[in-house]
Amino acid sequence: MTPPQLVVHRDKELMAQAAAARLITKIVDAQASRGHASVVLTGGRNGNGLLAALAAAPARDAVDWSRLDLWWGDERFLPEGDPERNVTQAREALLDAVELDPARVHAMPASDGPYGDDADAAAAGYADELAAAAGPEDHGPVPTFDVLMLGVGPDTHVASLFPELPAVRETERTVVGVHGAPKPPPVRVSLTLPAIRAAREVWLLAAGEDKAEAAAIALSGAGEIQVPAAGAYGRSRTLWLLDAAAASRLPRALYPPASA
């Protein structure tokens, strides 16, 4: 487990723009070294804000979008095209504006898709898709994602892993159906902590005063069952990207020198 690094920005707009620039650099570097890159997207206001900032960034053309694999950390188990689905929001924010290879866009199944309304079967299907994309060099049932992004909820949830619920306790499966989520919709599909930890870098995004307590608790050494965000970390780097409001309750000792 790598100790988390923190970057604190003045406000959420600056945070989104800086994170977008950081992501472009990571994708370009990965494509230059291996010919392709893989990123796991997150929804919510911060995830979508980053995608919108990326769409508006002049440097976005440095990315070869046709050689980028996109995955999702979780999804609301709703019909295809539903405006609440993360993939629908991602298409509106960025994906429809760039030339992606459709075969490399790995959306999680919808509730009217091939698995019908069986979220557990949909999760198993997505796990199979991840396993098929993993190579011998990945040493596991999921690809080694270059960057996996997560929003942090006020209750410290990440993806659709909520405190104390069965999904956050999963240690074997890479994707699970989530039932009875405490925020709507109650049925979801989510990567588990073992799948999240396969990423080279995990970025946790938090902006706004309503995220301040969650960030402080997650960075205080709390356990992952009660505080799922505390269990999200990357193989080589774990990066918390915060605005000043979300960082307002952090001990000053945690502040990076550049952010003080």
Side-chain angles (χ1 to χ4, degrees):
M1 177 178 175
T2 56
Q5 298 175 312
L6 279 69
V7 178
V8 181
H9 296 284
R10 182 178 63 249
D11 54 44
K12 65 180 181 181
E13 290 80 15
L14 185 59
M15 185 189 92
Q17 293 164 7
R22 188 184 295 271
L23 184 59
I24 289 170
T25 299
K26 285 293 174 186
I27 294 170
V28 170
D29 286 349
Q31 290 179 337
S33 63
R34 297 193 315 279
H36 60 89
S38 62
V39 172
V40 180
L41 300 181
T42 184
R45 68 175 189 245
N46 293 320
N48 291 325
L50 187 156
L51 294 182
L54 184 50
R60 82 178 201 193
D61 293 334
V63 173
D64 184 343
W65 296 97
S66 69
R67 293 189 291 125
L68 175 65
D69 281 286
L70 292 178
W71 302 87
W72 271 262
D74 74 322
E75 186 57 275
R76 299 170 173 102
F77 198 54
L78 297 167
E80 184 68 35
D82 189 289
E84 292 300 308
R85 274 175 61 82
N86 289 333
V87 65
T88 306
Q89 296 173 6
R91 291 188 189 283
E92 293 174 354
L94 171 68
L95 306 191
D96 287 344
V98 294
E99 295 185 5
L100 294 159
D101 178 352
R104 290 180 176 264
V105 179
H106 306 275
M108 286 183 164
S111 63
D112 58 352
Y115 304 98
D117 61 0
D118 187 339
D120 297 320
Y126 203 66
D128 289 343
E129 190 172 352
L130 284 164
E137 70 279 5
D138 296 311
H139 306 292
V142 297
T144 305
F145 313 113
D146 291 297
V147 176
L148 184 147
M149 295 182 289
L150 297 166
V152 180
D155 61 353
T156 73
H157 84 266
V158 290
S160 284
L161 305 178
F162 294 91
E164 302 284 357
L165 292 189
V168 77
R169 301 174 183 272
E170 180 63 47
T171 60
E172 298 295 329
R173 291 177 294 173
T174 58
V175 191
V176 292
V178 176
H179 305 272
K183 61 181 292 188
V187 182
R188 297 156 174 258
V189 176
S190 181
L191 298 189
T192 61
L193 288 176
I196 288 169
R197 294 167 184 164
R200 289 184 176 86
E201 297 197 7
V202 170
W203 298 2
L204 297 105
L205 313 174
E209 178 63 32
D210 62 327
K211 306 295 181 70
E213 184 175 0
I217 293 171
L219 288 164
S220 69
E224 64 195 39
I225 303 302
Q226 296 78 23
V227 182
Y233 50 84
R235 289 185 178 181
S236 63
R237 193 183 196 195
T238 305
L239 187 64
W240 280 74
L241 301 173
L242 307 161
D243 74 347
S248 62
R249 299 190 190 181
L250 294 179
R252 294 301 294 179
L254 286 178
Y255 259 70
S259 302

